[in-house]
Amino acid sequence: FATGGLAAIDVDDFTVLEHVIGSVEPDSVVRVRDNRVFVVNRFSGSSVQEIDPDDSLKTLWRCNVGAGSNPHDIVLIAPDKAYVTRYDAISIAIVDPSVGKSCEGFVRGYIDLSPWADADGIPEMDQMVRIGDRVFVAVQRLDRDDFFRPATNGALVVLDVATDAAIGAVELELTNPFTETKGLVYDAARERILVGGPGTLFSDLEDGGIEAVDPSSQASLGVLLSGADLGGDLSDFAMVGTRRGYAIVAAENFEASVVEFDLDTGIGEAPLITSPLLLSDVEVTEDGRLWVADRDCFDPGLRVFDVGDNTEITAEPIYPGLTPFTLDFIR
C-alpha cells in the first residue's frame, strides 16, 4: 500500500495493454458498473474517480466523499446518481457521477446508517448490491476499541432507491461480513443474496462462512457453508452458477489457499493454489476462467485457471506492473 497503479489486461492473450503508476491511491479498488470503470480510493484517499478504458486509463474525474470517510464500494442508481459506502462514517454518500471534473454538486446527500451501528457508533458499511428498487448494504459492526473484532452479528441494511432512505435490515447469523468480492453476490436463478465473511479473523477459523439471504422476504436463509466447512477464514469468493464456486481461505498458519466448493455438498479435495503470502482477490469470467490475484512478493501477478478441470492456464503469473490487489472486468 505504498504506491497505487492501474493496469488493463487483454483477457484473451493475457498481455498488459496499459499500466499507469500513481494514477490512483495506494489503497484503492476497481469497480465496473454499467460498463463504466470506477476506482474507489479507500482510507486516506476518500474519493471516487472514473477511468476511461479506451484512452490510456486516463482519469475523467475524481471527487471526494468526505475527508477520512474511507469509501469502500459504489452502486449506480442512474447516470446521475450513485451510492458510496463510507467505512469510517455513519452515512452513505449519495453522489452524482455525471458532474465531471468540477465536482460541483458531486455529493447530493446522505443516508444515515447509525441506527445499525454497534456501541462504538460506526456501522462499518462495506459491500452493496442493487436488486430492483432496493439496495442491500453489508454492515460489519466491529469494535474499534478491541482491534476491530466483531462486536455482534453483521447485517444487511435495506435502502429504497426512490426515497433514498434506509427502510430496515436483515440480521445475519454471520459476524464480520467481509469479502473483496465486487459488491455482494446475487444469485438470480435462486433469487438469493450470498454473503461471505471470516468471522473473527485468525483466532477462530471455524466461524464465518457463506450465508444466504432472501431479498424478497428480507430474511436470512442461514449459513450454507461455515469456516469449518471451508477450512479457514474466508476472505473472498466467486460463484460458477448457483452452487459451485471458489473461495480464498486462510489457515491457522496464515497460509492462503483457493478452494473449490459446492454450497450443497462442501469443498473439493485439494486447493487449486496455496501461498504462504497473500491471495487477495478471486473472480470468475463468463468464458469459464478463474482469475486469482497472487501477491507473492517473489513472483506476484494474476493467475488464471480453467473452471472445467481446475488446471492453470497461465504459464507464469501476469505481472501488471505492481503487485495486484483487486480486479474487475469490462466488455
Side-chain angles (χ1 to χ4, degrees), residues 30-328:
V30 62
R31 299 288 191 254
V32 174
R33 300 288 185 250
D34 293 350
N35 234 32
R36 297 170 66 179
V37 180
F38 298 95
V39 173
V40 179
N41 293 299
R42 306 190 304 181
F43 197 53
S44 60
S46 292
S47 63
V48 178
Q49 66 191 97
E50 184 171 2
I51 302 298
D52 188 344
D54 299 319
D55 188 11
S56 302
L57 305 181
K58 289 182 179 177
T59 297
L60 297 173
W61 53 264
R62 173 173 171 169
C63 302
N64 293 328
V65 292
S69 62
N70 192 4
H72 269 213
D73 196 15
I74 182 171
V75 164
L76 281 181
I77 308 302
D80 62 349
K81 179 180 172 181
Y83 295 157
V84 177
T85 50
R86 304 189 305 157
Y87 196 77
D88 291 336
I90 63 171
S91 60
I92 282 179
I94 307 168
V95 303
D96 183 349
S98 70
V99 298
K101 292 183 178 180
S102 71
C103 294
E104 184 176 351
F106 179 67
V107 177
R108 297 169 44 170
Y110 302 95
I111 304 173
D112 184 17
L113 265 59
S114 62
W116 292 277
D118 57 287
D120 63 19
I122 306 295
E124 285 85 30
M125 62 188 82
D126 191 35
Q127 301 296 292
M128 297 182 282
V129 65
R130 180 183 180 181
I131 304 172
D133 59 358
R134 298 288 186 262
V135 170
F136 294 79
V137 185
V139 293
Q140 294 173 270
R141 295 168 168 170
L142 306 181
D143 187 348
R144 292 167 176 250
D145 298 321
D146 188 25
F147 303 100
F148 285 81
R149 294 187 177 95
T152 184
N153 60 297
L156 299 186
V157 179
V158 186
L159 311 180
D160 185 325
V161 302
T163 61
D164 295 330
I167 59 173
V170 181
E171 297 294 328
L172 300 174
E173 294 181 18
L174 288 176
T175 60
N176 195 9
F178 155 78
T179 58
E180 288 295 344
T181 301
K182 308 302 172 290
L184 296 170
V185 175
Y186 180 54
D187 177 358
R190 294 193 182 185
E191 298 182 340
R192 62 184 183 178
I193 301 169
L194 299 176
V195 186
T200 303
L201 280 163
F202 310 129
S203 62
D204 186 347
L205 300 181
E206 296 190 353
D207 64 349
I210 299 174
E211 183 170 350
V213 169
D214 184 340
S216 297
S217 64
Q218 295 180 19
S220 172
L221 300 175
V223 174
L224 306 180
L225 288 178
S226 68
D229 296 325
L230 292 166
D233 282 334
L234 172 69
S235 63
D236 195 18
F237 73 99
M239 298 300 299
V240 182
T242 63
R243 292 174 43 187
R244 184 171 167 234
Y246 296 88
I248 297 176
V249 294
E252 188 175 11
N253 59 359
F254 306 110
E255 188 174 72
S257 299
V258 173
V259 298
E260 181 183 5
F261 64 82
D262 186 302
L263 291 175
D264 295 336
T265 62
I267 68 168
E269 294 182 358
L272 278 71
I273 172 180
T274 297
S275 172
L277 299 166
L278 180 63
L279 303 172
S280 60
D281 197 3
V282 60
E283 304 294 338
V284 173
T285 54
E286 293 177 352
D287 61 354
R289 291 178 173 180
L290 173 73
W291 290 67
V292 180
D294 187 352
R295 296 178 59 79
D296 186 328
C297 295
F298 303 102
D299 194 18
L302 302 172
R303 299 174 64 174
V304 186
F305 297 79
D306 185 333
V307 301
D309 57 10
N310 290 342
T311 57
E312 185 167 3
I313 300 171
T314 40
E316 58 184 9
I318 307 164
Y319 183 62
L322 289 171
T323 303
F325 183 54
T326 63
L327 60 149
D328 211 339

